[in-house]
Amino acid sequence: MRITALAGGVGAARFLRGLRRAAPDADITVIGNTADDITLHGLHVSPDLDTVMYTLGGGIDEQQGWGRADETHSVAEELAAYGAHPLWFTLGDRDIATHLVRTQMLAAGYPLSAVTEALCDRWQPGVRLLPMSDDRVETHVVIPDDDGQTRAVHFQEWWVRMRAAVPAERIVLAGIDAATPAPGVLDAVADADVVLLPPSNPVVSIGPILAVAGVRDAVAAARAPVVGLSPIIGDAPVRGMADAVLRTIGVEVSPAGVAGLFADLLDGWLVDSTDEAYVAAVEEAGVRCRAVPLWMRDVEAAAAMAAAALDLAAAVRGART
Amino acid sequence: MRITALAGGVGAARFLRGLRRAAPDADITVIGNTADDITLHGLHVSPDLDTVMYTLGGGIDEQQGWGRADETHSVAEELAAYGAHPLWFTLGDRDIATHLVRTQMLAAGYPLSAVTEALCDRWQPGVRLLPMSDDRVETHVVIPDDDGQTRAVHFQEWWVRMRAAVPAERIVLAGIDAATPAPGVLDAVADADVVLLPPSNPVVSIGPILAVAGVRDAVAAARAPVVGLSPIIGDAPVRGMADAVLRTIGVEVSPAGVAGLFADLLDGWLVDSTDEAYVAAVEEAGVRCRAVPLWMRDVEAAAAMAAAALDLAAAVRGART
């Protein structure tokens, strides 16, 4: 079975670890968000790709959900002593090695997809990890400045430094118009037996991937069932601050609100067991919906969620034939 | 008193620490060798500048003589796990922060002299540290290859990886013809009250500095006495493998041999107490010579050497007037 998943960071990575357990023989392709990539201290950092790679490769800091296990912070201490900035984005020493390899390969002319493949040679994540695009796309957040005007900051600055507490007026995907899908992305969608949308941030993780030229159309046209998992339980995100970006784009912070964002794509949608109340509304919009436990407490819980998503995909497929 | 010293790495750095103690009120300018700079993992590494900066700034690994105290090696471990190369040049984590700052500033268009000044803002070495040039110069070593031909390798590869054990046929300063002195270099030589040649490698440390356009002429024309310290005691280098490079250029491995290399520049030359036998030969070549202890066991020993060098400079100056 060929499974293709669109992925953000922590939530997607943990879900994918469950998926690998739920479908050990599946051929899994992961299309990763790169719109929150950022250049720090001259290094090209790809937070979402790395979170997926480290999590599936056994190198993740389990507690944090991002960054490396057994991490040290000598470089960051020294950068602070030099007065270098920014320092609000923590780069651990082990993590920096990844960015050094990536930055050097990019400077040598390799596309990000080739770099990602080379990095995965070491980590053996058990999935094929593709960046959404080899072109640079950056999510910028437009916020009010002190003079009653607005200014745009990199998504990471808004998310990490400002903890998404400053109201975002607009979210801009800089570079998206010129971005084309990385090699293999469109085929992975077209050839899949199941397409999954893990419980990632719908606006700044799944959104940029779908915004790359041709990707949303490919998902809409996929012969495979498209099944997603709500990143919202009740009226709050499972993790992170997805509510802030949903409000920015005027979408209700609910499992049904997020389903509505993807209504043209979805065949199936999973909401949490406590959100049974939303099932009818989602089904009325033409999307098969089930309520199952969506708290990823551990790998077993993530595997059960993945199994439920695959079950729903099978049910959708069965109903078609 | 204005003192200007030409400097290589460990030997010069330790001597300069002694000089600062011997002449606490002096205004010291250090012109550092940058011909053994090397790009590693995309980072611009300036080994000699950093050794001087860390030693005088209190951040050096005293045991090694180079690199940072309390160093960690997480990045290097990870680079090895990625199969990155080369790995024969050890980059510690704290040290890497220096290279990140340098590399990023160079990429932003700052010349190496401005970068060095910025780095020294933190370290406060108590001297003005200038790179010999803002232009890239690289010492290459021509060695025999397996096919009876020759090939050129970066000096660091020959020195660090091959431990200078492969006979060098030739030493080439790539880029030297286009290199001009960094801002302040020629003035520091012309305006000095004393010019010192610390016990650095005469061929690959002092040699490249003198080879930058105009520097050797400036030292020869300096109104100040020029005093050097022999890096050779008996027939062996005090530190490192200077004998290997002296043989390559056909110079006798002795305190007199090295003095001969600089005969057109020197007013005074210090040899070790055990090398009294060479004093007459050096003086016959027109250079005032004294024998004093030249083993830099500790800062006190280095300070005594520096005081002896300044004494000799004063004696030369006295004899002139």
Side-chain angles (χ1 to χ4, degrees), chain A residues 39-43 53-54 68 70-79 81-82 84-85 92-98 100-101 104 118-120 122-123, chain B residues 39-43 53-54 68 70-79 81-82 84-85 92-98 100-101 104 118-120 122-123:
Chain A
T39 302
L40 295 165
H41 310 290
L43 300 173
M53 183 174 78
Y54 294 158
R68 292 291 313 282
D70 302 318
E71 188 56 290
T72 60
H73 295 90
S74 298
V75 176
E77 276 174 41
E78 296 297 321
L79 288 173
Y82 277 118
H85 57 92
D93 298 333
R94 296 186 189 285
D95 195 32
I96 282 173
T98 301
L100 281 170
V101 173
Q104 203 184 359
L119 294 170
C120 285
R122 169 187 174 194
W123 288 104
Chain B
T39 302
L40 295 165
H41 311 292
L43 300 173
M53 182 174 78
Y54 294 158
R68 291 292 314 281
D70 302 318
E71 188 56 291
T72 60
H73 294 89
S74 299
V75 176
E77 276 174 41
E78 297 297 318
L79 288 173
Y82 277 117
H85 56 91
D93 298 331
R94 295 186 190 285
D95 196 31
I96 282 174
T98 301
L100 280 170
V101 173
Q104 203 184 359
L119 294 171
C120 284
R122 170 188 173 190
W123 288 104

Coordinates of all heavy atoms in Angstrom, one line a residue, chain A residues 39-43 53-54 68 70-79 81-82 84-85 92-98 100-101 104 118-120 122-123, chain B residues 39-43 53-54 68 70-79 81-82 84-85 92-98 100-101 104 118-120 122-123:
Chain A
T39 N 16.8 31.2 7.9 CA 18.3 31.2 7.9 C 18.7 31.9 9.2 O 18.3 33.0 9.6 CB 18.8 32.1 6.8 OG1 18.3 31.5 5.5 CG2 20.3 32.1 6.7
L40 N 19.5 31.1 10.0 CA 19.9 31.6 11.3 C 21.4 31.5 11.4 O 21.9 30.4 11.2 CB 19.3 30.8 12.5 CG 17.7 31.0 12.6 CD1 17.2 29.9 13.5 CD2 17.4 32.3 13.2
H41 N 22.1 32.6 11.7 CA 23.6 32.5 11.8 C 24.2 32.0 10.5 O 25.2 31.3 10.6 CB 24.0 31.7 13.1 CG 23.3 32.2 14.3 ND1 23.5 33.4 14.9 CD2 22.3 31.6 15.0 CE1 22.7 33.5 15.9 NE2 21.9 32.5 16.0
G42 N 23.6 32.3 9.4 CA 24.1 31.8 8.1 C 23.7 30.3 7.8 O 24.1 29.8 6.8
L43 N 23.0 29.7 8.7 CA 22.6 28.3 8.5 C 21.2 28.2 8.0 O 20.3 28.8 8.5 CB 22.8 27.5 9.8 CG 24.2 27.6 10.4 CD1 24.2 26.9 11.8 CD2 25.2 26.8 9.5
M53 N 12.3 14.0 10.5 CA 13.4 13.1 10.3 C 14.0 12.6 11.6 O 14.2 11.4 11.8 CB 14.5 13.9 9.5 CG 15.8 13.2 9.2 SD 16.9 14.2 8.2 CE 17.6 15.3 9.4
Y54 N 14.1 13.5 12.6 CA 14.6 13.1 13.9 C 13.6 12.2 14.6 O 14.0 11.2 15.3 CB 14.9 14.3 14.8 CG 16.0 15.3 14.4 CD1 15.9 16.6 14.8 CD2 17.0 14.9 13.6 CE1 17.0 17.5 14.5 CE2 18.0 15.8 13.2 CZ 18.0 17.1 13.7 OH 19.0 18.0 13.3
R68 N 17.2 17.7 19.1 CA 17.9 16.4 19.3 C 17.9 16.0 20.7 O 18.0 16.8 21.6 CB 19.3 16.5 18.8 CG 19.5 16.7 17.3 CD 19.0 15.4 16.5 NE 19.6 14.3 17.2 CZ 20.9 13.9 17.0 NH1 21.7 14.6 16.2 NH2 21.4 12.9 17.6
D70 N 19.7 14.3 23.9 CA 21.1 14.4 24.5 C 21.8 15.6 23.9 O 22.9 15.6 23.5 CB 21.9 13.2 24.2 CG 21.3 11.9 24.7 OD1 20.8 12.0 25.9 OD2 21.3 10.9 24.0
E71 N 21.0 16.7 23.7 CA 21.6 17.9 23.1 C 22.5 18.7 24.0 O 22.3 18.6 25.3 CB 20.4 18.8 22.6 CG 20.8 19.9 21.7 CD 21.6 19.6 20.5 OE1 22.7 19.2 20.7 OE2 21.0 19.7 19.4
T72 N 23.4 19.4 23.5 CA 24.2 20.3 24.2 C 24.1 21.7 23.6 O 23.6 21.8 22.5 CB 25.7 19.9 24.2 OG1 26.2 19.9 22.9 CG2 25.9 18.5 24.9
H73 N 24.5 22.7 24.3 CA 24.2 24.1 23.8 C 25.4 25.0 23.9 O 25.3 26.2 24.1 CB 23.0 24.7 24.5 CG 21.8 24.0 24.3 ND1 21.4 22.9 25.0 CD2 20.8 24.1 23.3 CE1 20.2 22.4 24.5 NE2 19.9 23.2 23.4
S74 N 26.6 24.4 23.6 CA 27.8 25.2 23.7 C 27.9 26.3 22.6 O 28.3 27.5 22.9 CB 29.1 24.3 23.5 OG 29.1 23.4 24.5
V75 N 27.5 26.0 21.4 CA 27.5 27.0 20.3 C 26.6 28.2 20.7 O 27.0 29.4 20.5 CB 27.1 26.4 19.0 CG1 27.1 27.5 17.9 CG2 28.1 25.3 18.5
A76 N 25.4 27.9 21.1 CA 24.4 29.0 21.4 C 25.0 29.8 22.6 O 24.8 31.1 22.5 CB 23.1 28.4 21.8
E77 N 25.6 29.2 23.6 CA 26.2 30.0 24.7 C 27.2 31.0 24.1 O 27.3 32.2 24.5 CB 27.0 29.1 25.6 CG 26.1 28.4 26.7 CD 27.0 27.4 27.5 OE1 28.1 27.7 27.8 OE2 26.4 26.4 27.8
E78 N 28.0 30.5 23.2 CA 29.1 31.4 22.6 C 28.5 32.4 21.7 O 29.0 33.6 21.7 CB 30.1 30.5 21.8 CG 30.9 29.5 22.7 CD 31.7 30.2 23.8 OE1 32.3 31.2 23.5 OE2 31.8 29.7 24.9
L79 N 27.5 32.1 20.9 CA 26.9 33.1 20.1 C 26.3 34.2 20.9 O 26.4 35.4 20.6 CB 25.8 32.4 19.2 CG 26.2 31.5 18.1 CD1 25.0 30.8 17.4 CD2 27.0 32.3 17.0
A81 N 27.5 35.1 23.8 CA 28.6 35.8 24.3 C 29.2 36.8 23.3 O 29.7 37.9 23.6 CB 29.7 34.9 24.8
Y82 N 29.0 36.5 22.0 CA 29.4 37.4 20.9 C 28.4 38.4 20.7 O 28.6 39.3 19.8 CB 29.7 36.6 19.6 CG 31.1 35.9 19.6 CD1 31.2 34.6 19.5 CD2 32.2 36.7 19.6 CE1 32.4 34.0 19.4 CE2 33.5 36.1 19.5 CZ 33.6 34.8 19.4 OH 34.8 34.2 19.3
A84 N 25.7 37.8 19.2 CA 25.0 37.4 17.9 C 23.5 37.4 18.1 O 23.0 37.2 19.2 CB 25.5 36.1 17.4
H85 N 22.8 37.6 17.0 CA 21.3 37.5 17.1 C 20.8 36.9 15.8 O 21.5 36.9 14.8 CB 20.7 38.8 17.5 CG 21.1 39.9 16.5 ND1 20.3 40.2 15.4 CD2 22.2 40.7 16.4 CE1 20.9 41.2 14.7 NE2 22.1 41.5 15.3
G92 N 20.5 23.8 19.0 CA 21.4 22.9 19.8 C 22.6 22.5 19.0 O 22.6 22.7 17.7
D93 N 23.7 22.1 19.6 CA 24.9 21.7 18.9 C 24.7 20.6 17.9 O 25.2 20.7 16.8 CB 26.0 21.3 19.9 CG 26.4 22.4 20.9 OD1 26.2 23.6 20.5 OD2 26.8 22.1 22.0
R94 N 24.0 19.5 18.4 CA 23.9 18.4 17.5 C 23.0 18.8 16.3 O 23.3 18.4 15.1 CB 23.2 17.2 18.2 CG 24.1 16.7 19.3 CD 23.5 15.4 19.9 NE 24.3 15.1 21.1 CZ 25.5 14.5 21.0 NH1 26.1 14.2 19.9 NH2 26.2 14.3 22.1
D95 N 22.0 19.6 16.5 CA 21.1 20.1 15.5 C 21.9 20.9 14.5 O 21.7 20.9 13.3 CB 20.0 20.9 16.2 CG 18.9 21.2 15.3 OD1 18.5 20.4 14.4 OD2 18.2 22.3 15.4
I96 N 22.9 21.7 15.0 CA 23.7 22.6 14.1 C 24.4 21.8 13.1 O 24.6 22.2 12.0 CB 24.6 23.5 15.0 CG1 23.8 24.7 15.6 CG2 25.8 24.0 14.2 CD1 24.5 25.5 16.6
A97 N 24.9 20.6 13.5 CA 25.6 19.8 12.5 C 24.7 19.5 11.3 O 25.1 19.5 10.1 CB 26.0 18.5 13.1
T98 N 23.4 19.2 11.5 CA 22.5 19.0 10.4 C 22.4 20.2 9.5 O 22.4 20.1 8.3 CB 21.1 18.7 11.0 OG1 21.1 17.5 11.8 CG2 20.0 18.5 9.9
L100 N 24.6 22.6 9.2 CA 25.9 22.8 8.5 C 26.0 21.9 7.2 O 26.3 22.4 6.2 CB 27.1 22.4 9.4 CG 27.5 23.4 10.4 CD1 28.5 22.8 11.4 CD2 28.2 24.7 9.7
V101 N 25.6 20.7 7.4 CA 25.6 19.8 6.2 C 24.6 20.3 5.2 O 24.9 20.4 4.0 CB 25.2 18.3 6.6 CG1 25.0 17.5 5.4 CG2 26.3 17.7 7.5
Q104 N 25.9 23.7 3.6 CA 27.0 23.4 2.7 C 26.5 22.8 1.4 O 27.0 23.1 0.3 CB 28.0 22.6 3.4 CG 29.4 22.8 2.8 CD 30.4 21.9 3.4 OE1 30.1 21.1 4.3 NE2 31.7 22.0 3.0
A118 N 20.0 13.0 1.4 CA 21.3 12.7 2.0 C 21.2 12.7 3.5 O 21.8 11.8 4.1 CB 22.3 13.8 1.5
L119 N 20.5 13.6 4.1 CA 20.4 13.6 5.6 C 19.7 12.4 6.0 O 20.0 11.8 7.0 CB 19.7 14.9 6.0 CG 20.4 16.2 5.8 CD1 19.5 17.4 6.1 CD2 21.7 16.3 6.7
C120 N 18.6 12.0 5.3 CA 17.9 10.8 5.6 C 18.6 9.5 5.5 O 18.3 8.5 6.1 CB 16.5 10.8 4.9 SG 15.3 12.0 5.5
R122 N 21.4 9.0 6.7 CA 21.8 8.6 8.0 C 20.7 8.2 8.9 O 20.8 7.2 9.7 CB 22.5 9.9 8.6 CG 22.7 9.6 10.1 CD 23.2 10.9 10.8 NE 23.3 10.6 12.3 CZ 23.4 11.5 13.2 NH1 23.6 12.8 12.8 NH2 23.5 11.2 14.5
W123 N 19.6 8.9 8.9 CA 18.5 8.7 9.9 C 17.6 7.6 9.6 O 16.9 7.1 10.5 CB 17.7 10.0 10.1 CG 18.5 11.1 10.8 CD1 19.1 12.2 10.2 CD2 18.8 11.1 12.2 NE1 19.8 12.9 11.2 CE2 19.6 12.2 12.4 CE3 18.6 10.2 13.2 CZ2 20.1 12.6 13.7 CZ3 19.0 10.6 14.5 CH2 19.8 11.7 14.7
Chain B
T39 N 38.5 26.7 4.8 CA 37.1 26.5 4.8 C 36.7 25.1 5.2 O 37.1 24.2 4.4 CB 36.4 26.9 3.5 OG1 36.8 28.3 3.2 CG2 34.9 26.9 3.6
L40 N 36.0 24.9 6.3 CA 35.6 23.6 6.7 C 34.1 23.5 7.0 O 33.6 24.4 7.7 CB 36.4 23.2 8.0 CG 37.9 23.0 7.9 CD1 38.6 23.0 9.2 CD2 38.3 21.8 7.1
H41 N 33.4 22.6 6.4 CA 32.0 22.5 6.5 C 31.3 23.8 6.3 O 30.3 24.2 6.9 CB 31.7 22.0 8.0 CG 32.5 20.8 8.3 ND1 32.3 19.6 7.7 CD2 33.5 20.6 9.2 CE1 33.1 18.7 8.2 NE2 33.9 19.3 9.1
G42 N 31.9 24.6 5.3 CA 31.3 25.8 4.9 C 31.7 27.0 5.8 O 31.2 28.1 5.6
L43 N 32.5 26.7 6.8 CA 32.9 27.8 7.8 C 34.3 28.3 7.5 O 35.2 27.5 7.2 CB 32.8 27.2 9.2 CG 31.5 26.6 9.7 CD1 31.6 25.9 11.0 CD2 30.5 27.8 9.7
M53 N 43.8 35.3 19.6 CA 42.6 35.9 20.3 C 42.2 35.2 21.5 O 42.0 35.8 22.6 CB 41.5 36.0 19.3 CG 40.2 36.7 19.7 SD 39.0 36.8 18.4 CE 38.4 35.2 18.3
Y54 N 42.1 33.9 21.4 CA 41.7 33.1 22.6 C 42.8 33.1 23.7 O 42.5 33.1 24.8 CB 41.5 31.6 22.2 CG 40.3 31.3 21.2 CD1 40.3 30.1 20.5 CD2 39.2 32.2 21.1 CE1 39.3 29.8 19.6 CE2 38.2 31.9 20.2 CZ 38.2 30.7 19.5 OH 37.1 30.4 18.7
R68 N 39.3 26.0 22.2 CA 38.7 26.7 23.4 C 38.8 25.8 24.7 O 38.7 24.6 24.6 CB 37.2 26.9 23.1 CG 37.0 28.1 22.1 CD 37.4 29.4 22.6 NE 36.9 29.6 24.0 CZ 35.6 29.9 24.3 NH1 34.8 30.2 23.3 NH2 35.2 30.0 25.5
D70 N 37.3 24.2 28.1 CA 35.9 23.7 28.4 C 35.2 23.4 27.1 O 34.0 23.6 27.0 CB 35.1 24.6 29.3 CG 35.8 25.0 30.6 OD1 36.4 24.1 31.2 OD2 35.8 26.2 31.0
E71 N 35.8 22.8 26.2 CA 35.2 22.6 24.9 C 34.4 21.4 24.9 O 34.6 20.4 25.6 CB 36.3 22.5 23.8 CG 35.9 22.5 22.3 CD 35.0 23.7 22.0 OE1 33.9 23.8 22.5 OE2 35.4 24.5 21.1
T72 N 33.3 21.4 24.0 CA 32.5 20.2 23.8 C 32.6 19.8 22.3 O 33.1 20.7 21.5 CB 31.1 20.4 24.2 OG1 30.5 21.5 23.4 CG2 31.0 20.7 25.7
H73 N 32.2 18.6 21.9 CA 32.4 18.2 20.5 C 31.2 17.5 20.0 O 31.3 16.6 19.2 CB 33.6 17.3 20.5 CG 34.9 18.0 20.8 ND1 35.4 18.1 22.0 CD2 35.7 18.7 20.0 CE1 36.5 18.8 22.0 NE2 36.7 19.2 20.8
S74 N 30.0 18.1 20.3 CA 28.8 17.5 19.8 C 28.6 17.6 18.3 O 28.2 16.7 17.6 CB 27.6 18.1 20.5 OG 27.6 17.9 21.9
V75 N 29.0 18.8 17.8 CA 28.8 19.1 16.4 C 29.7 18.1 15.6 O 29.3 17.5 14.6 CB 29.2 20.5 16.0 CG1 29.1 20.7 14.5 CG2 28.2 21.5 16.7
A76 N 31.0 17.9 16.0 CA 31.9 17.1 15.3 C 31.4 15.6 15.3 O 31.5 14.9 14.3 CB 33.3 17.2 15.9
E77 N 30.9 15.2 16.5 CA 30.3 13.8 16.5 C 29.2 13.6 15.5 O 29.1 12.6 14.8 CB 29.7 13.6 17.9 CG 30.6 13.2 19.0 CD 29.9 13.1 20.4 OE1 28.7 12.6 20.4 OE2 30.4 13.6 21.4
E78 N 28.4 14.6 15.4 CA 27.2 14.5 14.4 C 27.7 14.6 13.0 O 27.2 13.9 12.1 CB 26.2 15.6 14.7 CG 25.6 15.5 16.1 CD 24.8 14.3 16.2 OE1 24.1 13.9 15.3 OE2 24.8 13.6 17.3
L79 N 28.7 15.5 12.7 CA 29.2 15.6 11.4 C 29.8 14.2 11.0 O 29.6 13.7 9.9 CB 30.3 16.6 11.3 CG 29.8 18.1 11.4 CD1 31.0 19.1 11.4 CD2 28.9 18.4 10.2
A81 N 28.8 11.3 12.1 CA 27.7 10.4 11.9 C 27.0 10.6 10.5 O 26.5 9.7 9.9 CB 26.6 10.6 13.0
Y82 N 27.1 11.9 10.0 CA 26.6 12.2 8.7 C 27.6 11.8 7.6 O 27.3 11.9 6.4 CB 26.3 13.7 8.5 CG 24.9 14.1 9.1 CD1 24.8 15.0 10.1 CD2 23.8 13.6 8.5 CE1 23.6 15.4 10.6 CE2 22.5 14.0 9.0 CZ 22.5 14.8 10.1 OH 21.2 15.2 10.6
A84 N 30.2 13.4 7.0 CA 30.8 14.6 6.5 C 32.3 14.6 6.5 O 32.9 13.8 7.3 CB 30.3 15.8 7.3
H85 N 33.0 15.3 5.7 CA 34.4 15.3 5.7 C 34.9 16.7 5.4 O 34.2 17.5 4.8 CB 35.0 14.3 4.8 CG 34.5 14.4 3.4 ND1 35.2 15.1 2.4 CD2 33.4 13.9 2.8 CE1 34.5 15.1 1.3 NE2 33.4 14.3 1.5
G92 N 35.8 22.3 17.7 CA 35.0 22.1 18.9 C 33.7 23.0 18.8 O 33.6 23.9 17.9
D93 N 32.7 22.7 19.6 CA 31.5 23.5 19.5 C 31.6 25.0 19.8 O 31.1 25.8 19.1 CB 30.5 22.9 20.5 CG 30.1 21.4 20.2 OD1 30.2 21.0 19.1 OD2 29.8 20.7 21.2
R94 N 32.4 25.3 20.8 CA 32.5 26.7 21.2 C 33.3 27.4 20.1 O 33.0 28.6 19.7 CB 33.3 26.9 22.5 CG 32.5 26.3 23.7 CD 33.2 26.6 25.0 NE 32.4 25.8 26.0 CZ 31.2 26.2 26.5 NH1 30.7 27.3 26.1 NH2 30.6 25.4 27.4
D95 N 34.3 26.8 19.5 CA 35.1 27.3 18.5 C 34.2 27.5 17.2 O 34.3 28.6 16.5 CB 36.2 26.3 18.1 CG 37.3 26.9 17.3 OD1 37.6 28.1 17.4 OD2 37.9 26.1 16.5
I96 N 33.3 26.6 17.0 CA 32.4 26.8 15.8 C 31.6 28.1 15.9 O 31.3 28.7 14.8 CB 31.5 25.5 15.7 CG1 32.3 24.4 15.1 CG2 30.2 25.8 14.8 CD1 31.6 23.0 15.0
A97 N 31.2 28.5 17.1 CA 30.4 29.7 17.2 C 31.3 30.9 16.6 O 30.7 31.8 15.9 CB 30.1 30.0 18.6
T98 N 32.6 30.9 16.9 CA 33.4 31.9 16.3 C 33.4 31.9 14.8 O 33.3 32.9 14.1 CB 34.9 31.7 16.8 OG1 34.9 31.8 18.2 CG2 35.8 32.8 16.2
L100 N 31.1 30.6 12.9 CA 29.7 31.0 12.4 C 29.6 32.5 12.3 O 29.2 33.1 11.3 CB 28.6 30.5 13.3 CG 28.2 29.0 13.1 CD1 27.3 28.6 14.3 CD2 27.6 28.8 11.8
V101 N 30.1 33.2 13.4 CA 30.0 34.7 13.3 C 30.9 35.2 12.2 O 30.5 36.1 11.4 CB 30.5 35.3 14.7 CG1 30.6 36.8 14.6 CG2 29.5 34.9 15.8
Q104 N 29.5 34.4 8.7 CA 28.3 35.2 8.4 C 28.7 36.7 8.1 O 28.1 37.3 7.2 CB 27.3 35.1 9.5 CG 25.9 35.4 9.1 CD 24.9 35.4 10.3 OE1 25.3 35.2 11.4 NE2 23.7 35.7 10.0
A118 N 35.6 42.8 15.4 CA 34.3 42.5 16.0 C 34.4 41.3 17.0 O 33.9 41.4 18.1 CB 33.2 42.2 15.0
L119 N 35.2 40.3 16.6 CA 35.4 39.2 17.5 C 36.2 39.6 18.7 O 35.9 39.1 19.8 CB 36.1 38.0 16.7 CG 35.3 37.4 15.6 CD1 36.1 36.4 14.7 CD2 34.1 36.6 16.1
C120 N 37.2 40.4 18.4 CA 38.0 40.9 19.6 C 37.3 41.8 20.5 O 37.7 42.0 21.7 CB 39.3 41.6 19.0 SG 40.5 40.4 18.4
R122 N 34.6 41.1 21.9 CA 34.3 40.2 23.0 C 35.5 39.8 23.8 O 35.4 39.8 25.0 CB 33.6 38.9 22.4 CG 33.5 37.9 23.5 CD 33.0 36.6 23.0 NE 33.1 35.6 24.1 CZ 32.9 34.3 24.0 NH1 32.7 33.8 22.8 NH2 33.0 33.5 25.0
W123 N 36.6 39.4 23.1 CA 37.7 38.8 23.8 C 38.6 39.8 24.5 O 39.4 39.4 25.4 CB 38.5 37.9 22.8 CG 37.7 36.7 22.5 CD1 37.0 36.4 21.4 CD2 37.4 35.5 23.4 NE1 36.3 35.2 21.5 CE2 36.6 34.7 22.7 CE3 37.8 35.2 24.7 CZ2 36.2 33.4 23.2 CZ3 37.4 34.0 25.2 CH2 36.6 33.1 24.5

